Amino acid sequence: MAKLIDGKMISQQIKDELKAKVATLKEEGKDICLAVIQVGNDPASTVYVGNKKKACEYIGIKSLAFELPEETTEEELIGIIDKLNNDNDVDGILVQLPVPKHINEDTIIKSISPKKDVDGFHPASVGALSIGQHGFVSCTPAGVIQLLKRSNIEIAGKECVVIGRSNIVGKPMSMMLLRENGTVTVCHSKTKDLKDVCKRADILVVAIGKPKMIDESYVKDGAVVIDVGIHRDENNKLCGDVDFESVEKKASYITPVPGGVGPMTIAMLMNNCVEAGINK
Ligand code: NAD
């Protein structure tokens, strides 16, 4: 039976460490500030933005909320981002995605200063990660690395297989595992013999977006299985891309859904904000 990797507990640890750091910075006269911009009122985005504000409050980070109407133009949004880029009191800028269809997401991501790009989505941040330079890294895969490290799971020299090649999870995940000296294979929708490739993995990171797709037949005995997926099943219960009941019998470690990778994303966002403030 696999051991559970407790993302709820580890994310709380990280938030408490950050809280202490922010308190020390405050004593030195340094306040950390995150600007969160939401365009329109997509209900899921409203929940995510609310959770980010709550985490800021807990840690002692000041949060500035920009709740813009759906019909905000690209130019208006860029204008606001530009002001925040030049505001010395603002350390991090986050535009909640997706933005409405009439706004080009890539243009918006590029308009955020890489120095304040706490989501780690700017091409300069992605480039820095790929050539081993300092920069902000995408929060969900950064959270996975923390889950592994804080569970004392060695990455160096291990066969790491990532399923999924999205810009926010799969690709940065593979770069981060490589940075930790893993031997990394990236699988995607066109991969042949997916099962055979997955069965080589000592560490299997699953970010496909397909509920419970990965069962024990994809998993080597004793593998570490990290489930990034998040869905509602037919009974409206949260589940991941991994069939937990099947895989937990075979894996050595496994992340649950909920309570695995999910809570790590915000913790790592908070970490990026604190770093932005320190390195200003
Ligand atoms: P995405 O849809 O952008 O990418 C999915 C990837 O899976 C693609 O690269 C695709 O090639 C690959 N894929 C699809 N079908 C496949 C198949 N049959 N075999 C092999 N590969 C296949 O999704 P994403 O944004 O990377 O998110 C993945 C999952 O993680 C989703 O369930 C999402 O909700 C979840 N997610 C969770 C968090 C979190 O904080 N926990 C953050 C981001 C995403």
Side-chain angles (χ1 to χ4, degrees):
M1 217 51 155
K3 280 190 198 152
L4 271 193
I5 299 179
D6 187 346
K8 219 172 154 188
M9 190 257 293
I10 295 175
S11 65
Q12 188 60 46
Q13 254 172 22
I14 292 173
K15 284 192 281 183
D16 286 335
E17 289 164 17
L18 291 171
K19 193 175 181 169
K21 230 184 234 179
V22 168
T24 311
L25 287 168
K26 253 194 191 124
E27 279 166 22
E28 294 164 7
K30 225 177 188 182
D31 271 324
I32 311 272
C33 174
L34 169 69
V36 181
I37 306 173
Q38 182 182 357
V39 187
N41 42 22
D42 172 64
S45 293
T46 305
V47 172
Y48 293 139
V49 166
N51 288 341
K52 286 165 191 175
K53 279 189 218 158
K54 257 190 243 160
C56 281
E57 231 168 79
Y58 180 78
I59 291 167
I61 294 174
K62 184 176 167 195
S63 69
L64 297 179
F66 293 81
E67 283 146 20
L68 309 177
E70 179 86 19
E71 52 284 0
T72 305
T73 65
E74 192 172 293
E75 291 68 31
E76 284 167 337
L77 179 55
I78 291 175
I80 292 172
I81 294 172
D82 224 32
K83 271 199 193 127
L84 295 168
N85 280 339
N86 292 308
D87 184 340
N88 216 24
D89 291 336
V90 172
D91 301 293
I93 304 170
L94 183 152
V95 177
Q96 184 64 45
L97 301 177
V99 283
K101 286 199 172 59
H102 63 275
I103 297 175
N104 185 307
E105 192 170 291
D106 290 340
T107 309
I108 296 308
I109 289 173
K110 271 193 258 175
S111 71
I112 297 172
S113 161
K115 286 188 182 152
K116 302 189 179 188
D117 173 39
V118 285
D119 256 340
F121 295 163
H122 192 288
S125 308
V126 178
L129 171 63
S130 71
I131 57 173
Q133 288 183 1
H134 190 267
F136 292 111
V137 290
S138 184
C139 301
T140 302
V144 171
I145 297 290
Q146 283 303 310
L147 287 177
L148 294 170
K149 287 192 168 173
R150 289 173 186 249
S151 306
N152 296 316
I153 295 165
E154 177 90 39
I155 304 170
K158 294 287 173 63
E159 285 282 346
C160 304
V161 174
V162 179
I163 324 180
R165 58 172 164 185
S166 70
N167 288 342
I168 63 165
V169 187
K171 277 187 206 140
M173 185 75 257
S174 62
M175 295 311 305
M176 283 180 223
L177 289 165
L178 190 59
R179 192 171 67 174
E180 298 295 332
N181 300 313
T183 302
V184 183
T185 307
V186 185
C187 298
H188 46 78
S189 53
K190 301 282 187 291
T191 297
K192 287 190 181 139
D193 306 322
L194 181 66
K195 255 185 205 181
D196 289 342
V197 180
C198 291
K199 273 182 152 167
R200 294 206 305 256
D202 301 312
I203 299 174
L204 180 63
V205 182
V206 188
I208 320 174
K210 301 241 156 77
K212 299 188 187 177
M213 180 178 140
I214 299 302
D215 63 18
E216 62 164 329
S217 65
Y218 289 79
V219 177
K220 179 170 87 173
D221 259 328
V224 174
V225 179
I226 306 289
D227 188 357
V228 182
I230 183 145
H231 315 274
R232 294 239 171 233
D233 70 8
E234 55 286 358
N235 304 315
N236 206 31
K237 260 185 73 185
L238 287 175
C239 72
D241 290 346
V242 172
D243 182 349
F244 184 89
E245 279 76 32
S246 160
V247 171
E248 75 165 336
K249 291 181 209 127
K250 216 167 179 190
S252 59
Y253 287 87
I254 189 166
T255 56
V257 178
V261 175
M264 295 301 291
T265 302
I266 286 192
M268 298 319 290
L269 171 69
M270 296 296 110
N271 185 63
N272 280 352
C273 292
V274 174
E275 252 186 50
I278 290 173
N279 296 327
K280 174 155 71 177

